[in-house]
Amino acid sequence: VCIGDVHAERGRDTERELQEMGLECVFVSCDVTSEKSLFEVSQTLDERWGGVDVVVNNAGVAHAGTFDATDLEDWQPVIDINLLGVVRGCKVFLPTFKRQGHGHFVNMASVAGLLSPPNMSIYNVTKTGVVSLSETLREELRPHNVFVTVVCPAFVKTNLAESMRGPDPKAGARLEAILDAASLTAEGVANEIFVAIEKGQFWVVPGRQTRYIWYLKRWLPLPAFSLAVRLLKRLFR
Ligand SMILES: NC(=O)c1ccc[n+]([C@@H]2O[C@H](COP(=O)([O-])OP(=O)(O)OC[C@H]3O[C@@H](n4cnc5c(N)ncnc54)[C@H](O)[C@@H]3O)[C@@H](O)[C@H]2O)c1
């Protein structure tokens, strides 16, 4: 396992944890806003292990705030990480996958990319973009024996709230409280991804409740869907 992250301390902690479990693991400092940085990771993997089987495009930051309160300048940095980071990851590692004759991209989107909830326009747009890119590549890369899985969780207990950006200074604390109460864990989502890779499954939408809401959106006309979500919210309050 190779872990790439801008946060070196946490990356090295995870590297140590995995090594203690007896796995061959390496941490590399990597910034997904830089194509060069990702290219260096791909070179490291080529030299060390002769390639890579699965690339997980996971890096992301949170953003919340009304559309009105967000400035145009707020869009670019989040798009650069959440959406273009995934684009770069696919672009840089695709030649390796083609050379090997196999590979699997796991792209981390969010249920926000399926449902577009209010007051999250920037985050929603980046995650919808990741879903769209993944759907496009799924068809485009299949002839090369390269597979794609897109992951769309709701709230998962992680450190995501620390990265919160946006006009409301209290949004980070609010997200942290929601994530602390979340029933999904990173390990649980990782297990679902692992099974999806083995089965060649495209969608990973963890949590039955989240899946039902997503199905409702796909099957109902928009006004009926909005009404259903309002009723569901009342039910689960
Ligand atoms: N936690 C949730 O509720 C949730 C729900 C749906 C989707 N997601 C998505 O899951 C992914 C993982 O997030 P998480 O919840 O584990 O949060 P996290 O903050 O624990 O992990 C995100 C990681 O991305 C790294 N990162 C940020 N910018 C980077 C950059 N430019 N280059 C390299 N690494 C960078 C951070 O250092 C951090 O380690 C994100 O894409 C997030 O949007 C999270």
Side-chain angles (χ1 to χ4, degrees):
V1 177
C2 173
I3 303 159
D5 204 296
V6 277
H7 199 309
E9 204 184 314
R10 285 215 174 118
R12 289 201 197 289
D13 284 349
T14 312
E15 177 190 51
R16 210 169 310 122
E17 257 181 70
L18 292 177
Q19 283 171 347
E20 280 166 14
M21 289 165 73
L23 283 169
E24 192 177 341
C25 177
V26 60
F27 167 75
V28 287
S29 191
C30 155
D31 182 351
V32 300
T33 65
S34 154
E35 187 184 2
K36 182 169 169 277
S37 176
L38 283 164
F39 188 66
E40 282 166 10
V41 178
S42 95
Q43 277 184 322
T44 304
L45 293 183
D46 278 350
E47 283 158 21
R48 222 182 151 106
W49 293 323
V52 55
D53 299 317
V54 178
V55 171
V56 183
N57 290 307
N58 178 63
V61 292
H63 189 286
T66 63
F67 180 70
D68 211 14
T70 52
D71 294 326
L72 274 179
E73 304 86 75
D74 298 340
W75 284 76
Q76 190 60 51
V78 185
I79 290 175
D80 208 16
I81 299 171
N82 288 13
L83 176 55
L84 293 180
V86 179
V87 173
R88 288 185 194 96
C90 293
K91 197 102 188 118
V92 165
F93 285 97
L94 184 56
T96 307
F97 283 176
K98 281 188 171 174
R99 189 193 69 222
Q100 295 172 168
H102 70 90
H104 200 123
F105 287 117
V106 175
N107 294 336
M108 193 56 70
S110 162
V111 75
L114 303 174
L115 301 181
S116 302
N119 305 325
M120 293 173 54
S121 50
I122 299 182
Y123 190 78
N124 293 346
V125 167
T126 62
K127 295 301 184 179
T128 305
V130 172
V131 171
S132 173
L133 173 74
S134 305
E135 286 187 313
T136 310
L137 295 184
R138 171 182 185 245
E139 293 305 318
E140 202 170 311
L141 303 184
R142 204 201 307 259
H144 301 283
N145 205 30
V146 174
F147 298 93
V148 181
T149 292
V150 67
V151 189
C152 303
F155 298 111
V156 190
K157 266 187 206 126
T158 66
N159 301 311
L160 189 68
E162 286 177 21
S163 68
M164 176 60 84
R165 299 157 187 223
D168 179 357
K170 291 186 183 143
R174 268 202 306 276
L175 179 62
E176 192 171 353
I178 295 172
L179 296 188
D180 280 348
S183 55
L184 283 179
T185 61
E187 290 81 357
V189 175
N191 278 336
E192 289 198 36
I193 294 171
F194 196 80
V195 172
I197 293 169
E198 285 193 322
K199 289 185 181 166
Q201 186 184 313
F202 179 71
W203 293 107
V204 173
V205 183
R208 198 180 304 165
Q209 206 175 305
T210 307
R211 276 196 298 278
Y212 285 160
I213 296 176
W214 177 47
Y215 295 154
L216 284 180
K217 169 140 190 226
R218 292 162 80 190
W219 293 333
L220 291 179
L222 204 53
F225 169 68
S226 301
L227 178 67
V229 170
R230 280 204 295 278
L231 290 174
L232 278 172
K233 270 191 188 156
R234 219 175 289 168
L235 208 65
F236 292 111
R237 190 169 287 159

Coordinates of all heavy atoms in Angstrom, one line a residue, residues 5-7 30-33 58-61 81 108-110 123 127 153-156 158-160 179, ligand 1:
D5 N -0.3 11.9 0.6 CA -1.1 12.9 1.3 C -0.3 14.2 1.5 O 1.0 14.1 1.6 CB -1.6 12.4 2.6 CG -2.9 13.1 3.1 OD1 -2.8 14.3 3.4 OD2 -3.9 12.4 3.2
V6 N -0.9 15.3 1.6 CA -0.1 16.5 2.0 C 0.2 16.6 3.4 O 1.1 17.3 3.9 CB -0.9 17.9 1.6 CG1 -0.7 18.3 0.2 CG2 -2.4 17.8 2.0
H7 N -0.6 15.8 4.2 CA -0.5 15.8 5.7 C 0.5 14.7 6.1 O 0.1 13.6 6.3 CB -1.8 15.6 6.3 CG -1.9 16.0 7.8 ND1 -1.0 15.6 8.7 CD2 -2.7 16.8 8.4 CE1 -1.3 16.1 9.9 NE2 -2.4 16.8 9.7
C30 N 2.5 14.0 -1.1 CA 1.9 14.2 -2.4 C 0.8 15.2 -2.4 O 0.0 15.2 -1.5 CB 1.4 12.8 -2.9 SG 0.1 12.9 -4.1
D31 N 0.8 16.1 -3.4 CA -0.3 17.2 -3.4 C -1.1 17.0 -4.7 O -0.5 17.1 -5.8 CB 0.4 18.6 -3.4 CG -0.6 19.7 -3.4 OD1 -1.8 19.4 -3.6 OD2 -0.2 20.8 -3.2
V32 N -2.4 16.7 -4.6 CA -3.1 16.4 -5.8 C -3.4 17.6 -6.7 O -4.0 17.5 -7.8 CB -4.5 15.6 -5.5 CG1 -4.2 14.3 -4.8 CG2 -5.4 16.5 -4.7
T33 N -3.1 18.8 -6.2 CA -3.2 20.0 -7.0 C -2.0 20.1 -8.0 O -2.0 21.0 -8.8 CB -3.4 21.3 -6.2 OG1 -2.2 21.5 -5.5 CG2 -4.5 21.2 -5.3
N58 N -8.7 9.9 -3.4 CA -9.5 10.1 -2.2 C -9.4 11.5 -1.6 O -10.3 12.0 -1.0 CB -8.9 9.1 -1.1 CG -9.6 9.2 0.2 OD1 -10.8 9.0 0.3 ND2 -8.9 9.6 1.2
A59 N -8.3 12.3 -1.9 CA -8.1 13.6 -1.3 C -9.3 14.5 -1.5 O -9.9 14.5 -2.6 CB -6.9 14.2 -1.8
G60 N -9.7 15.2 -0.5 CA -10.8 16.1 -0.6 C -10.9 17.1 0.6 O -10.4 16.8 1.6
V61 N -11.6 18.2 0.4 CA -11.8 19.1 1.5 C -13.3 19.5 1.5 O -14.0 19.3 0.5 CB -11.0 20.4 1.3 CG1 -9.5 20.2 1.5 CG2 -11.3 21.1 -0.1
I81 N -8.8 20.8 -5.8 CA -8.5 19.6 -5.0 C -9.6 18.5 -5.3 O -9.2 17.4 -5.8 CB -8.5 19.9 -3.5 CG1 -7.4 20.9 -3.2 CG2 -8.4 18.6 -2.7 CD1 -7.5 21.4 -1.7
M108 N -13.3 9.0 -5.2 CA -14.2 9.4 -4.0 C -15.0 10.6 -4.3 O -14.5 11.7 -4.4 CB -13.2 9.7 -2.8 CG -13.9 9.7 -1.5 SD -14.8 8.2 -1.0 CE -13.5 7.1 -0.8
A109 N -16.3 10.3 -4.5 CA -17.3 11.4 -4.7 C -18.0 11.6 -3.3 O -17.3 11.6 -2.3 CB -18.2 11.1 -5.8
S110 N -19.3 11.7 -3.3 CA -20.1 11.8 -2.1 C -21.5 11.7 -2.5 O -21.9 11.9 -3.7 CB -19.8 13.2 -1.5 OG -20.8 13.6 -0.6
Y123 N -19.1 22.3 -3.1 CA -18.8 20.9 -2.8 C -19.7 20.0 -3.7 O -19.1 19.1 -4.4 CB -19.1 20.6 -1.3 CG -18.7 19.2 -0.9 CD1 -17.3 19.0 -0.6 CD2 -19.6 18.2 -0.7 CE1 -16.9 17.8 -0.1 CE2 -19.1 16.9 -0.2 CZ -17.8 16.8 0.1 OH -17.4 15.5 0.5
K127 N -18.3 17.2 -6.5 CA -18.6 15.8 -6.4 C -19.4 15.2 -7.5 O -19.3 14.1 -7.9 CB -19.2 15.5 -5.0 CG -18.3 15.8 -3.8 CD -17.0 15.0 -3.9 CE -16.1 15.2 -2.7 NZ -14.9 14.4 -2.8
P153 N -20.5 8.2 -0.3 CA -21.1 8.1 1.1 C -21.8 9.3 1.6 O -21.6 10.4 1.0 CB -19.8 7.8 2.0 CG -18.6 8.0 1.1 CD -19.1 8.5 -0.2
A154 N -22.6 9.1 2.6 CA -23.2 10.3 3.3 C -22.1 10.6 4.4 O -20.9 10.6 4.1 CB -24.5 10.0 3.9
F155 N -22.5 10.8 5.6 CA -21.5 11.2 6.6 C -20.7 10.0 7.2 O -21.3 9.0 7.5 CB -22.2 11.9 7.8 CG -22.9 13.2 7.3 CD1 -24.3 13.3 7.3 CD2 -22.2 14.3 6.9 CE1 -24.9 14.4 6.8 CE2 -22.8 15.4 6.4 CZ -24.2 15.5 6.4
V156 N -19.4 10.2 7.2 CA -18.5 9.2 7.7 C -17.6 9.8 8.8 O -17.1 10.9 8.6 CB -17.5 8.7 6.6 CG1 -16.8 7.4 7.0 CG2 -18.3 8.4 5.3
T158 N -14.6 10.9 10.1 CA -13.2 11.2 9.7 C -12.8 12.5 10.2 O -13.5 13.2 10.9 CB -13.1 11.2 8.1 OG1 -13.9 12.3 7.6 CG2 -13.7 9.9 7.5
N159 N -11.7 13.0 9.6 CA -11.2 14.4 10.0 C -11.7 15.5 9.1 O -11.1 16.6 9.1 CB -9.7 14.4 10.0 CG -9.1 13.3 11.0 OD1 -9.6 13.3 12.2 ND2 -8.2 12.5 10.6
L160 N -12.7 15.1 8.2 CA -13.0 16.1 7.1 C -13.4 17.5 7.6 O -13.1 18.5 7.0 CB -14.2 15.5 6.3 CG -14.6 16.2 5.1 CD1 -13.5 16.1 4.0 CD2 -15.9 15.7 4.5
L179 N -20.3 14.5 12.0 CA -19.4 13.3 11.7 C -19.2 12.5 13.0 O -19.2 11.2 12.9 CB -18.1 13.8 11.2 CG -18.1 14.6 9.8 CD1 -16.7 14.8 9.3 CD2 -18.9 13.8 8.8
Ligands
LIG1 N1 -16.3 12.2 5.8 C1 -17.4 12.2 5.1 O1 -18.5 12.4 5.7 C2 -17.4 12.1 3.6 C3 -18.6 11.9 3.0 C4 -18.6 11.8 1.6 C5 -17.4 11.9 0.9 N2 -16.2 12.2 1.6 C6 -15.0 12.3 0.8 O2 -14.1 11.3 1.2 C7 -12.8 11.8 0.9 C8 -11.8 11.6 2.1 O3 -12.2 12.5 3.1 P1 -12.3 12.1 4.6 O4 -13.7 12.2 5.0 O5 -11.5 10.9 4.9 O6 -11.6 13.4 5.2 P2 -10.1 13.6 5.8 O7 -9.9 15.1 6.0 O8 -9.9 12.7 7.0 O9 -9.2 13.0 4.6 C9 -9.0 13.8 3.5 C10 -7.5 13.7 3.2 O10 -7.2 14.5 2.0 C11 -5.9 15.1 2.2 N3 -5.8 16.2 1.3 C12 -6.4 17.4 1.3 N4 -5.9 18.2 0.3 C13 -5.0 17.4 -0.3 C14 -4.1 17.7 -1.4 N5 -4.1 18.9 -2.1 N6 -3.3 16.7 -1.8 C15 -3.2 15.5 -1.2 N7 -4.0 15.2 -0.1 C16 -4.8 16.2 0.3 C17 -6.0 15.5 3.7 O11 -4.7 15.8 4.2 C18 -6.6 14.4 4.4 O12 -5.7 13.4 4.8 C19 -12.9 13.2 0.5 O13 -12.9 13.3 -1.0 C20 -14.3 13.6 1.0 O14 -14.9 14.7 0.2 C21 -16.2 12.3 2.9

